[in-house]
Amino acid sequence: MKNLFGGPGRVSGLVMRVFQCLFAASSIGIMVSSSGFSTSTAFCYLIASMGIQFLWSFALACLDMHALRIKKDLQNHLLVSLFAVGDWVTSILSLAAACSSAGVVVLYAKDTQLCQAQKTLNCEGFQIAIAMAFISWFYLAISSNVMFWLMASS
Amino acid sequence: MKNLFGGPGRVSGLVMRVFQCLFAASSIGIMVSSSGFSTSTAFCYLIASMGIQFLWSFALACLDMHALRIKKDLQNHLLVSLFAVGDWVTSILSLAAACSSAGVVVLYAKDTQLCQAQKTLNCEGFQIAIAMAFISWFYLAISSNVMFWLMASS
């Protein structure tokens, strides 16, 4: 198996996982602390989806750290396939959550001007939380592509 | 290069492209004919994104048909890389459009009950158009993964 940037059991892979965890956690934190998030199902789904992504990335970050400490090679076909499928499913869920929330925020802020009319809606908070979710998805998409590449080329 | 199901220049690949075109075109048709679609930016974005997907899939369907007729092998590294990148970008745009529209429809139908209150909104039309977009994305995702697999394994 090739030794790609961001592969499992490498420092670059661990850094990716840590970024995914950080941005997913901050997305959840900012969304939960924004008033009026429960008005839309999409925002609740974003929190759930970012929660799943946080757990997945945290588990893989721990595994990477363990592999780096005991200098174990994680690049066998079974493990890489498992990571690739998990990453693919999680990244689709995250992108879906971020996009559906973005659709609702654009409706609130631009199409209906609800953000200006209803001061109880913290639209800036929603926007920052969604931006964090997109950044977290971006790092996950890189990991996902690297895993898929490793799986296909093995 | 492996001779995978759904690869370029194969009958299965052509069938996938035809399905992508059909579902993208019906999604555009149903969305445009649903009254009130212009109330949300997400629905307009769905039409634009399905338009791009239709053009991309139609071009590749023509190429597949031509390759099948003159029995030309399309599986060289440069062409497959081009198809893989194009498919990946188009599939992300389509998924983003379908999900953002789905977020808005859930808000209309469930969170605010706007569908029942405003009879000018054709919510059923929106839902069918979004379902078509998801089916079209599903076929594109299969093609995209096949192309990526071919690119990585060559």
Side-chain angles (χ1 to χ4, degrees), chain B:
Chain B
M1 256 182 200
K2 290 174 192 167
N3 215 353
L4 278 182
F5 171 87
R10 292 198 59 187
V11 179
S12 51
L14 176 64
V15 171
M16 294 282 207
R17 298 293 172 192
V18 171
F19 275 127
Q20 288 159 26
C21 285
L22 278 181
F23 284 108
S26 38
S27 174
I28 296 173
I30 296 168
M31 186 54 94
V32 168
S33 60
S34 301
S35 62
F37 79 90
S38 57
T39 51
S40 165
T41 308
F43 296 154
C44 302
Y45 171 48
L46 183 82
I47 295 170
S49 171
M50 283 295 118
I52 293 171
Q53 184 176 328
F54 177 81
L55 291 176
W56 172 255
S57 296
F58 186 72
L60 264 66
C62 291
L63 199 67
D64 277 349
M65 221 180 294
H66 181 67
L68 280 170
R69 258 180 50 190
I70 63 166
K71 297 197 188 338
K72 191 173 155 46
D73 185 21
L74 287 179
Q75 301 206 5
N76 69 62
H77 191 71
L78 188 74
L79 266 183
V80 168
S81 305
L82 183 78
F83 296 158
V85 172
D87 271 346
W88 203 72
V89 172
T90 327
S91 73
I92 285 179
L93 287 180
S94 297
L95 181 64
C99 291
S100 56
S101 302
V104 173
V105 155
V106 170
L107 187 85
Y108 278 177
K110 198 175 149 281
D111 301 332
T112 60
Q113 312 272 334
L114 209 69
C115 288
Q116 295 173 332
Q118 283 211 343
K119 293 295 175 198
T120 49
L121 287 173
N122 183 2
C123 285
E124 277 188 10
F126 302 155
Q127 284 163 356
I128 297 169
I130 292 165
M132 295 285 165
F134 271 114
I135 298 171
S136 182
W137 167 78
F138 178 73
Y139 284 112
L140 189 61
I142 297 174
S143 289
S144 166
N145 278 332
V146 169
M147 294 299 170
F148 199 79
W149 190 278
L150 283 173
M151 188 173 78
S153 62
S154 68

Side-chain angles (χ1 to χ4, degrees), chain A residues 34-46:
Chain A
S34 300
S35 63
F37 79 89
S38 56
T39 52
S40 166
T41 308
F43 297 155
C44 302
Y45 171 48
L46 183 81

